[in-house]
Amino acid sequence: MGGAPGWASGSGPAPQPSPHPAATAAEMQQQVKRLRRAGRLSAALEVSYAGMSAHPRVRSFWASAASLEARFGRVDVALGLLGRALSRWPGNAALLLALGQTRSAAGDLAGAREAFGAALQREPGNAAVLHAWAVAEAAAGGIAAARNLFRSAARADPDMAHTYTAWARLEAAAGDEAAARRVFTEGHTADPRHVPLLHAWALFEAHHDKQSAARRLLGRALELDPRHVPSWMAMGQLEWRQGNASRARHVFEAGLHAVGPCAPLLAALADLELRVKNLRRARELFERLRAVSPRHVPALVAAAQMEHRAGNTARAETLYREATAAAAAGVVRCSEGAEPRPPPGPPPPAGESATASASGSPPGQPAAEGPEAQLQSGPAAAYLEISSWRSQAAHERAVVLHASAQACLKNGDREGAERLLRELEALHPANPFLCHTRGLLAQQEGAVDAAEAWFRRGLASRASRKGALLCYEGLAELLEFLGKKEEARAVWRAGAGAVQPPSSRFLRQAALFEKRERNWAAAAALFADSVRRDPQDYRSWLNWAMLERRQRNWEAAERCFQRGTAVAPGNPFLWYAYASMLTVLRRVPEAREVLRTGTRLCPRSAPLWLEWALMEAAAGDAAAARALFQRGSEVPPSAQHAPLYQAWAAFEEQQGDTAAAAQIAQRAEQLLAASPGGRRAAGTDGAPAASDQAAG
């Protein structure tokens, strides 16, 4: 792990800087930069305003306050600040730089270009302006223009490592691996101690399956800056991707020890516990996170989704309301989650002359470099995300609207879902999650042309890699449904090429398509890619195992079952399918051991008890079979399984106990009658069919 300090040092988190009225302008400027680099944007905004009041002639405080206001989604406030500042210092390059960034955040590319051009007229070759202009062009999809501007910025200031970082991420997003690695190397040569570059480079290497290189780069980043949250996040995700949940947990906890209470790390740790089905611990962490950062939108949404899946509808609705309020307040994701203070009145009048320290420094950290940008969709994919959101606040609001709409659909509230989806469409018409959901709803209604149009609308979205992949998936499955198999295959391939790297889910669904088309080798290769992308994806292990079993590749199937049960020991269907294969192979002692482990870990799964009972009955051990049927009948009411009683009744009939058989059969009929879906609905408790497993 690179021996990052703070892992075992026992030293507590370093004290946080706080504004001091007697601080010099230079001290406060550095304080703003440190706070922004740490993701503490509300505190950075407070210091910026304090600097405006204490040192009104220092223009960088005006620029910093404006850029932070834009980041919080208050573009009008930012433009007002810059208008006042530029009326006092017309043509100032630092203020024009901030104006260009603000207009870019508002989606006004033409206005941003005008401001950046004016800044360069005033200061030709200003590397900070060239960098910011490149970022704006990249966000608008102008890859060639962005590349040229990054190249110019690097020529203007070869030591500006964050330019190389953003440039390399652009090349990675464009799919040019060699160019990205070359630019990362040049940037590292320019500044070997630049932590954000090391972090971004590590993400790049991890996504190209160079785990050792990624781990080495992250270890070095944490040696240089033990408080760099994105590197802790990436290191934990790297361990998770390698299938080591306990090591990932240790990394997140070590990061919290080094950094102190931190919303992103707490959210990552809660998400890890959620993935390993430790709901009680996840709930505890979400509550701790709400105490630390009560307006941390992603955590509120994740907690709401968790409670909704657990059946706690009222609790979920409360959390969705809190998330909606937090998004409306304009709190930036991955900042400290505190409510930003409202802008104060204008600073007292001052002379028009500026101090030497006021004239040049660009405000804080560039937008592509701060932790909040690196964590937009999880550190594992951050270098690919060139966001097209008009502001981070709009992003948060869109996340909440879509999650709330999904909850309404699951609750059967179609009217409420439609209202939320219309609001989301008004906010962001090309939102890929909106497009995917709308496409699925149209397909359910039989409006296949409308469904195809919705899916195609979301394909090119740069707002979310995951959302774009969902639209490719939806379109491919729609074309398959319409019988256009080759067109569907072309869409699967296009999605895998256009959105790099494709997710484990996308590769799994593509594999299932090839399986349905009986292209066994192609399906197996895609399943292998899927689990390489995410070794914790138990659905891929399960479906791959079922494919190999169907092909009678018993050893390969068993390896997949073993990996699947290792990463998801609480999933009963994995144990069920594994044991049934061993039974078919007449490896009864091994099947018995698998079922013993499965029922110990999933005691509420009646189908597992049923499978074990049938195996013992077939082996001639009537007493063991009867005891296992009895254990299966003792599961909680919500997990009762009519087929278990039907099989038990048939067993007792064969054993000659017709009275017991009749009584047990009556219980089966009662369960079937009480179930709205009849036999289908009474089928499983946590042991869905393989097709259901694949759909998640």
Side-chain angles (χ1 to χ4, degrees):
M1 300 287 288
W7 281 50
S9 65
S11 59
Q16 298 296 330
S18 59
H20 191 283
T24 67
E27 289 170 343
M28 296 183 79
Q29 286 174 318
Q30 289 302 315
Q31 195 174 4
V32 169
K33 291 181 180 180
R34 286 195 300 270
L35 289 166
R36 292 186 67 158
R37 191 173 295 116
R40 299 185 61 221
L41 304 186
S42 296
L45 179 59
E46 185 173 352
V47 177
S48 298
Y49 278 128
M52 287 168 60
S53 296
H55 306 283
R57 297 181 180 181
V58 179
R59 304 165 201 175
S60 67
F61 292 124
W62 291 76
S64 176
S67 68
L68 286 164
E69 289 288 9
R71 188 69 64 81
F72 280 115
R74 296 195 292 250
V75 176
D76 290 344
V77 174
L79 292 173
L81 285 169
L82 290 168
R84 288 160 54 199
L86 284 165
S87 68
R88 300 174 65 184
W89 301 293
N92 178 264
L95 294 171
L96 288 167
L97 165 61
L99 180 61
Q101 291 173 314
T102 303
R103 286 176 171 170
S104 175
D108 179 8
L109 182 60
R113 287 170 173 164
E114 180 183 356
F116 291 135
L120 289 175
Q121 284 182 349
R122 185 62 178 259
E123 293 186 11
N126 184 310
V129 174
L130 290 164
H131 173 101
W133 195 345
V135 170
E137 293 289 352
I143 304 301
R147 183 181 288 120
N148 290 333
L149 285 161
F150 279 133
R151 188 176 290 113
S152 297
R155 282 199 299 265
D157 185 354
D159 297 330
M160 204 160 70
H162 64 262
T163 290
Y164 291 101
T165 304
W167 183 6
R169 292 173 67 193
L170 176 78
E171 298 295 356
D176 193 336
E177 180 180 348
R181 191 170 281 112
R182 173 181 56 78
V183 176
F184 274 127
T185 303
E186 290 177 6
H188 184 58
T189 301
D191 185 355
R193 301 180 62 83
H194 194 267
V195 171
L197 182 142
L198 291 166
H199 166 255
W201 194 357
L203 297 183
F204 169 80
E205 297 295 359
H207 278 294
H208 289 84
D209 292 323
K210 299 186 182 300
Q211 313 303 330
S212 297
R215 187 175 280 104
R216 183 178 65 254
L217 289 163
L218 290 171
R220 177 57 177 158
L222 289 169
E223 287 176 5
L224 292 167
D225 184 1
R227 298 178 56 80
H228 191 246
V229 172
S231 290
W232 286 112
M233 297 280 287
M235 187 73 90
Q237 292 288 350
L238 182 64
E239 296 296 346
W240 169 263
R241 181 177 170 182
Q242 291 301 294
N244 196 338
S246 61
R247 186 62 177 165
R249 182 183 294 109
H250 172 74
V251 170
F252 291 137
E253 290 173 346
L256 286 167
H257 176 79
V259 177
C262 168
L265 285 170
L266 283 169
L269 188 53
D271 180 65
L272 183 149
E273 300 296 355
L274 198 55
R275 292 190 190 187
V276 299
K277 310 300 182 186
N278 190 349
L279 298 186
R280 185 175 68 177
R281 176 63 174 153
R283 188 174 284 114
E284 290 173 354
L285 286 163
F286 279 129
E287 287 303 310
R288 181 181 169 194
L289 176 53
R290 289 176 71 228
V292 171
S293 300
R295 295 182 179 274
H296 190 267
V297 173
L300 290 168
V301 170
Q305 291 172 330
M306 176 187 70
E307 298 295 355
H308 193 271
R309 285 192 294 269
N312 302 324
T313 305
R315 177 63 177 155
E317 289 177 354
T318 297
L319 290 165
Y320 278 126
R321 284 195 296 271
E322 290 184 20
T324 301
V331 177
V332 178
R333 171 155 59 162
C334 297
S335 75
E336 64 273 34
E339 180 113 31
R341 61 177 258 179
E352 296 302 307
S353 61
T355 62
S357 64
S359 60
S361 60
Q365 200 83 339
E369 192 178 56
E372 64 281 0
Q374 300 285 5
L375 299 174
Q376 282 179 359
S377 63
Y383 77 94
L384 294 169
E385 298 290 338
I386 301 175
S387 177
S388 63
W389 296 100
R390 298 199 184 283
S391 74
Q392 191 71 24
H395 180 121
E396 301 294 13
R397 188 174 165 215
V399 169
V400 177
L401 286 169
H402 185 262
S404 301
Q406 293 286 91
C408 286
L409 289 172
K410 290 176 184 176
N411 291 337
D413 181 7
R414 181 65 178 264
E415 183 179 348
E418 286 289 345
R419 176 179 53 79
L420 292 163
L421 291 172
R422 286 193 298 271
E423 190 175 346
L424 174 55
E425 186 176 358
L427 176 68
H428 191 213
N431 179 283
F433 296 101
L434 166 74
C435 294
H436 180 250
T437 299
R438 282 291 194 198
L440 292 180
L441 291 174
Q443 187 173 348
Q444 290 169 11
E445 295 167 353
V448 293
D449 290 342
E452 182 173 350
W454 275 111
F455 290 138
R456 289 191 183 279
R457 182 191 292 191
L459 295 186
S461 173
R462 294 183 306 279
S464 168
R465 163 181 163 271
K466 179 180 178 182
L469 284 173
L470 284 174
C471 289
Y472 274 104
E473 177 187 317
L475 178 59
E477 292 179 346
L478 174 65
L479 292 170
E480 181 189 4
F481 171 75
L482 296 174
K484 302 176 181 180
K485 304 297 180 64
E486 287 306 313
E487 290 183 44
R489 180 175 285 111
V491 171
W492 285 118
R493 290 174 177 170
V499 185
Q500 286 291 322
S503 67
S504 174
R505 170 189 166 125
F506 185 83
L507 294 167
R508 180 196 339 126
Q509 296 303 103
L512 289 170
F513 166 78
E514 296 295 355
K515 179 182 175 182
R516 290 189 292 271
E517 292 300 299
R518 307 178 71 83
N519 295 323
W520 314 123
L526 285 163
F527 281 133
D529 285 345
S530 176
V531 296
R532 185 163 54 249
R533 177 61 47 203
D534 181 5
Q536 300 282 351
D537 181 5
Y538 71 89
R539 293 178 177 87
S540 290
W541 288 117
L542 168 61
N543 281 290
W544 191 6
M546 300 299 286
L547 171 71
E548 299 294 355
R549 174 179 171 173
R550 182 171 182 172
Q551 295 298 105
R552 305 178 71 83
N553 298 327
W554 307 116
E555 291 184 5
E558 185 165 11
R559 284 195 299 271
C560 291
F561 279 129
Q562 289 172 346
R563 290 295 302 272
T565 54
V567 300
N571 183 277
F573 191 80
L574 280 159
W575 298 106
Y576 178 93
Y578 187 9
S580 67
M581 185 188 78
L582 294 173
T583 303
V584 167
L585 295 175
R586 302 181 184 278
R587 294 164 58 182
V588 174
E590 294 165 86
R592 183 179 291 119
E593 193 58 37
V594 167
L595 288 164
R596 181 176 289 112
T597 303
T599 52
R600 176 174 58 82
L601 294 170
C602 312
R604 293 164 50 93
S605 176
L608 277 177
W609 294 108
L610 168 59
E611 178 72 7
W612 194 358
L614 291 174
M615 188 188 75
E616 298 297 356
D621 192 339
R626 185 174 288 110
L628 290 164
F629 279 125
Q630 181 65 43
R631 289 292 303 275
S633 71
E634 294 168 357
V635 299
S638 62
Q640 289 290 311
H641 188 53
L644 180 141
Y645 290 93
Q646 292 170 327
W648 190 3
F651 168 79
E652 295 296 357
E653 188 76 33
Q654 292 172 354
Q655 296 297 312
D657 192 342
T658 55
Q663 185 177 4
I664 294 167
Q666 184 179 11
R667 174 60 177 152
E669 292 302 319
Q670 290 171 346
L671 284 172
L672 289 171
S675 174
R679 293 176 181 271
R680 180 178 59 82
T684 62
D685 167 55
S691 59
D692 295 331
Q693 289 285 331

